[in-house]
């Protein structure tokens, strides 16, 4: 059984489905997720690098669902295979400073008029504190604005933002710069921005990526986000970074300029799912680094293999879509050089990985 503590929500909360496994069984299961994916792609008998692990209490991002019930507010994660929200009293995965926000968040949500039935709370733990984004199902009122501002003051939040369902976020209170550092560069991420789930996971990804960079030539970075990999890459080579989210593009470009890296980092806004880079554009690069969303990068991989980019460094958060995209690479003559599993999603059925492919043509 697990020796990291006792979680009162295991068995109902859908987050930690592997929490009950002992350490050796757990590590084998996680590694097997990557081995199986690569075998499906046509790369059998691959010797994986030892798995890099993230510990309890390290997760710096939380994405909670909220529901208003007749008995009060339910705030947490969904029940396994259900839309029901499990009301969490604790979470062994999250940084304790985020867990400490659970009770006051419930009290805040109870009082908000903009929250009628369903809402979500996204928090990124930045260097300057927890950066909160609330999405709710009704318009924001003046009392709501005052309540959110007071919540930010009371709990030392650098920024609290709000959005109506899927609309663009609006900062409600910015009490100090909401900043964090990525590979030594200070950046102001947009509300709710994608960051790697933990610092240790981010470090493991960067280490695996940097070991595979060619000694010469430029690198194309696809799905760059706010720069989780960009600034680390720029220490070794010139980078052209593409990202589809306009707010993330703005944050990445501003941080690069302020750090004096404009000559090493070129940032471009582009939806790579709808408009992937074409072979002619890719031909200028000695390597492609891509960190696609959960759905993978089928459209972009199809263009990469036509361009015959010498080295493809694929950062994956989904073994299933990795298997699909890696199969395309194998069919085009790419060898799998190394595969690094990273247990960034502790006790869940998900796995991060970094796979390095080299063209044989």
């Amino acid at each position: 059984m697990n020796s990291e503590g006792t979680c009162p929500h295991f068995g109902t909360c859908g987050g930690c489905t592997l929490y009950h496994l002992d350490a050796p069984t757990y590590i084998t299961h996680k590694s097997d997720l990557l081995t199986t994916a690569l075998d499906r792609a046509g790369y059998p008998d691959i010797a994986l690098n030892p798995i890099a692990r993230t510990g309890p209490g390290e997760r710096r991002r939380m994405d909670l669902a909220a529901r208003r019930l007749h008995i009060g507010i339910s705030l947490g994660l969904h029940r396994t295979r259900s839309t029901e929200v499990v009301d969490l009293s604790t979470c062994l995965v999250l940084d304790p400073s985020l867990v400490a926000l659970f009770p006051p968040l419930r009290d805040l949500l109870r009082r908000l008029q903009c929250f009628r039935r369903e809402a979500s709370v996204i928090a990124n733990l930045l260097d300057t504190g927890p950066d909160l984004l609330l999405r709710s199902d009704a318009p924001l009122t003046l009392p709501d604005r005052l309540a959110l501002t007071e919540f930010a003051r009371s709990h030392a939040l650098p920024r609290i933002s709000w959005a109506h369902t899927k609309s663009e976020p609006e900062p409600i209170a910015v009490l100090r710069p909401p900043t964090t550092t990525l590979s030594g560069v200070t950046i102001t991420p947009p509300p709710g921005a994608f960051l790697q789930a933990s610092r240790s996971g981010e470090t493991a990804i960067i280490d695996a990526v940097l070991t595979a960079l060619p000694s010469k030539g430029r690198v194309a970075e696809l799905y760059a986000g706010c720069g989780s990999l960009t600034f680390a890459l720029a220490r070794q080579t010139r980078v052209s970074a593409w990202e589809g989210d306009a707010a993330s593009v703005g944050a990445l470009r501003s941080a690069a300029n302020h750090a004096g890296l404009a000559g090493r980092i070129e940032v471009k806004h582009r939806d790579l799912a709808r408009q992937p880079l074409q072979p002619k554009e890719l031909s200028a690069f000695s390597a492609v680094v891509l960190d696609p969303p959960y759905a993978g990068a089928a459209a972009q991989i199809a263009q990469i293999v036509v361009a015959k980019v010498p080295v493809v460094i694929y950062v994956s958060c989904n073994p299933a879509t990795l298997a699909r995209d890696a199969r395309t690479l194998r069919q085009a003559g790419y060898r799998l050089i190394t595969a690094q599993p990273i247990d960034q999603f502790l006790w869940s059925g998900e796995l991060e990985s970094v796979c390095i492919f080299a063209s044989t043509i």
Side-chain angles (χ1 to χ4, degrees), residues 12-18 77-80 93 345-349:
T12 55
C13 171
C16 296
T17 57
L18 305 179
L77 300 179
H78 289 105
R79 184 181 292 270
T80 304
V93 172
F345 310 111
L346 184 62
W347 297 319
S348 80

Side-chain angles (χ1 to χ4, degrees), residues 180-188 226-227 230-232 234-235 250-265 267:
T180 196
T181 54
L182 299 174
S183 297
V185 175
T186 299
I187 186 167
T188 303
C226 291
T230 314
F231 302 112
R235 293 202 299 257
L252 174 53
R253 183 179 288 128
S254 177
N257 290 341
H258 279 93
L261 294 171
R264 296 187 66 80
I265 298 174
V267 185

Side-chain angles (χ1 to χ4, degrees), residues 302-316:
Q303 303 304 318
I304 289 172
V305 299
V306 173
K308 298 181 176 61
V309 179
V311 176
V312 177
I313 304 172
Y314 194 123
V315 182
S316 168

Side-chain angles (χ1 to χ4, degrees), residues 7-322:
C7 178
H9 303 294
F10 175 64
T12 55
C13 171
C16 296
T17 57
L18 305 179
Y19 178 75
H20 61 293
L21 298 179
D22 61 71
T25 304
Y26 175 81
I27 293 171
T28 298
H29 176 84
K30 282 277 184 157
S31 298
D32 284 349
L33 292 174
L34 182 54
T35 300
T36 301
L38 294 174
D39 184 69
R40 288 174 52 199
Y43 296 105
D45 305 320
I46 293 297
L48 305 182
N49 292 340
I51 191 167
R53 300 195 63 192
T54 297
E58 289 190 31
R59 190 174 176 94
R60 62 181 175 181
R61 177 183 172 88
M62 69 179 183
D63 193 342
L64 302 179
R67 186 161 294 170
R68 189 183 292 277
L69 307 171
H70 69 280
I71 57 173
I73 303 299
S74 185
L75 176 70
L77 300 179
H78 289 105
R79 184 181 292 270
T80 304
R81 294 184 293 277
S82 172
T83 59
E84 179 187 349
V85 177
V86 177
D87 195 44
L88 297 183
S89 61
T90 189
C91 179
L92 301 183
V93 172
L94 284 175
D95 186 285
S97 63
L98 295 179
V99 177
L101 291 174
F102 287 3
L105 273 171
R106 284 190 188 86
D107 180 64
L108 171 69
L109 291 167
R110 180 184 56 81
R111 295 181 284 113
L112 292 179
Q113 299 173 43
C114 63
F115 171 36
R116 292 177 181 169
R117 177 173 170 76
E118 294 186 346
S120 68
V121 179
I122 298 172
N124 280 320
L125 183 56
L126 307 181
D127 292 350
T128 54
D131 180 31
L132 257 63
L133 168 60
L134 168 68
R135 291 187 178 274
S136 63
D137 55 0
L140 198 68
T141 66
L142 178 57
D144 290 341
R145 289 180 180 274
L146 296 175
L148 290 171
T149 301
E150 179 55 33
F151 185 87
R153 289 199 181 103
S154 299
H155 300 282
L157 308 184
R159 176 176 63 187
I160 190 166
S161 306
W162 170 84
H164 186 199
T165 60
K166 296 183 179 181
S167 62
E168 289 298 312
E170 170 192 352
I172 302 301
V174 181
L175 304 186
R176 61 183 179 278
T179 60
T180 196
T181 54
L182 299 174
S183 297
V185 175
T186 299
I187 186 167
T188 303
F194 168 80
L195 296 175
Q196 295 295 345
S198 67
R199 283 286 186 188
S200 60
E202 179 181 86
T203 298
I205 293 169
I206 289 172
D207 289 346
V209 168
L210 294 184
T211 61
L213 283 184
S215 58
K216 296 181 180 179
R218 294 165 56 207
V219 169
E221 184 194 5
L222 312 182
Y223 311 96
C226 291
S228 292
L229 299 176
T230 314
F231 302 112
L233 291 169
R235 293 202 299 257
Q236 295 189 200
T237 186
R238 287 184 299 143
V239 184
S240 293
W242 279 267
E243 168 57 38
D245 178 70
S248 295
V249 168
L252 174 53
R253 183 179 288 128
S254 177
N257 290 341
H258 279 93
L261 294 171
R264 296 187 66 80
I265 298 174
E266 179 185 31
V267 185
K268 299 182 180 181
H269 182 209
R270 187 155 166 177
D271 184 339
L272 296 171
R274 297 183 179 183
Q275 191 183 3
L277 266 65
Q278 297 301 299
K280 185 176 181 180
E281 298 171 284
L282 291 164
S283 64
F285 299 100
S286 61
V288 168
V289 177
L290 66 160
D291 186 2
Y294 197 75
Q300 186 59 79
I301 288 290
Q303 303 304 318
I304 289 172
V305 299
V306 173
K308 298 181 176 61
V309 179
V311 176
V312 177
I313 304 172
Y314 194 123
V315 182
S316 168
C317 63
N318 182 355
T321 53
L322 170 65

